[in-house]
Amino acid sequence: MVRESPRTGPSTLKRPRATAGRKSATPLLTGVSCDTGHGRTTVVIPREFPNSATEVWSLITKPTELGAWAPYTADRDLSRVGRATVTMLDGENAVQVDLPSVVFTADAPRILEYSWGDDTVTWTVEELETDARSPRTRLTLRQTLADSAMASAVAAGWHLCLDVAVGVLDGHPKPAIRGMDAMEFGWADLNRRYAAKLGVEPTRIG
């Protein structure tokens, strides 16, 4: 495993909008939790997929796949350490914003860690079932927040994004849900409900 410091370099260690598919039923909350150790808040979001670890790894590292479901894409494959640029994809008509990023850890297909603005994002990929006929993989996101008040917003946003990721992996993709478009898919309600689940105040946007 290799880890890179933004200052010192590598070292050993560490689509179109659509209304179809909107959910009218109240979505079930996932098993999200908060870790407040080390003086910062980390939102922990697990999600299981009926796919292999290799497929899930591609989902979180390849720019073409990220662009189909995540709130951003990247200027290169994230499966190697080093500097990268993350481009925010904030809805169809929004201005795109480029953010400098550093991939700290890329241990395929198990651990991916990189900076996202002032936050740190860590993905852990764990294959639960290796039978090729019925693979199952747990993907766990840990996002360490620069602003702890964003906890419920992060949980709500990733909830919607990961719902879209399911379709990307099974070959039936739906339009990505990003930016203010998320309001049309129940983001405000998810924000309130995840705040209650995490025991925090709902994130205020705007």
Side-chain angles (χ1 to χ4, degrees):
M1 186 182 299
V2 175
R3 184 176 178 86
E4 177 178 0
S5 161
R7 297 186 178 84
T8 62
S11 61
T12 302
L13 171 203
K14 189 175 139 142
R15 212 150 346 171
R17 292 185 60 187
T19 57
R22 293 182 186 172
K23 296 182 179 179
S24 57
T26 302
L28 296 176
L29 300 187
T30 59
V32 173
S33 61
C34 266
D35 180 354
T36 56
H38 308 291
R40 296 186 70 180
T41 296
T42 298
V43 179
V44 183
I45 307 172
R47 185 69 72 98
E48 292 187 13
F49 296 92
N51 302 88
S52 69
T54 300
E55 291 173 310
V56 173
W57 180 260
S58 293
L59 179 81
I60 62 175
T61 57
K62 293 189 180 300
T64 52
E65 295 197 41
L66 283 168
W69 69 274
Y72 51 75
T73 187
D75 67 336
R76 66 169 179 85
D77 193 310
L78 298 179
S79 58
R80 68 179 189 276
V81 297
R83 300 187 184 280
T85 298
V86 170
T87 300
M88 300 302 299
L89 304 174
D90 193 13
E92 182 181 4
N93 299 314
V95 176
Q96 295 184 353
V97 178
D98 291 338
L99 297 174
S101 177
V102 176
V103 179
F104 301 123
T105 304
D107 184 12
R110 298 182 297 171
I111 302 173
L112 176 68
E113 180 186 22
Y114 53 91
S115 60
W116 180 18
D118 294 326
D119 292 0
T120 300
V121 174
T122 304
W123 299 97
T124 303
V125 182
E126 179 186 6
E127 197 157 61
L128 304 176
E129 176 56 65
T130 58
D131 185 342
R133 295 169 298 179
S134 57
R136 193 152 197 88
T137 298
R138 178 184 296 121
L139 176 65
T140 302
L141 165 64
R142 292 173 173 84
Q143 183 169 338
T144 300
L145 308 176
D147 181 359
S148 61
M150 292 297 294
S152 62
V154 165
W158 281 117
H159 178 115
L160 294 172
C161 288
L162 290 168
D163 280 353
V164 175
V166 172
V168 173
L169 284 173
D170 71 13
H172 298 88
K174 297 178 181 178
I177 302 172
R178 302 181 176 113
M180 295 305 294
D181 292 349
M183 293 295 183
E184 301 175 21
F185 290 82
W187 181 90
D189 180 59
L190 286 169
N191 180 42
R192 288 191 294 270
R193 293 167 63 208
Y194 274 118
K197 182 178 178 67
L198 296 172
V200 300
E201 289 296 317
T203 303
R204 296 181 182 276
I205 300 297

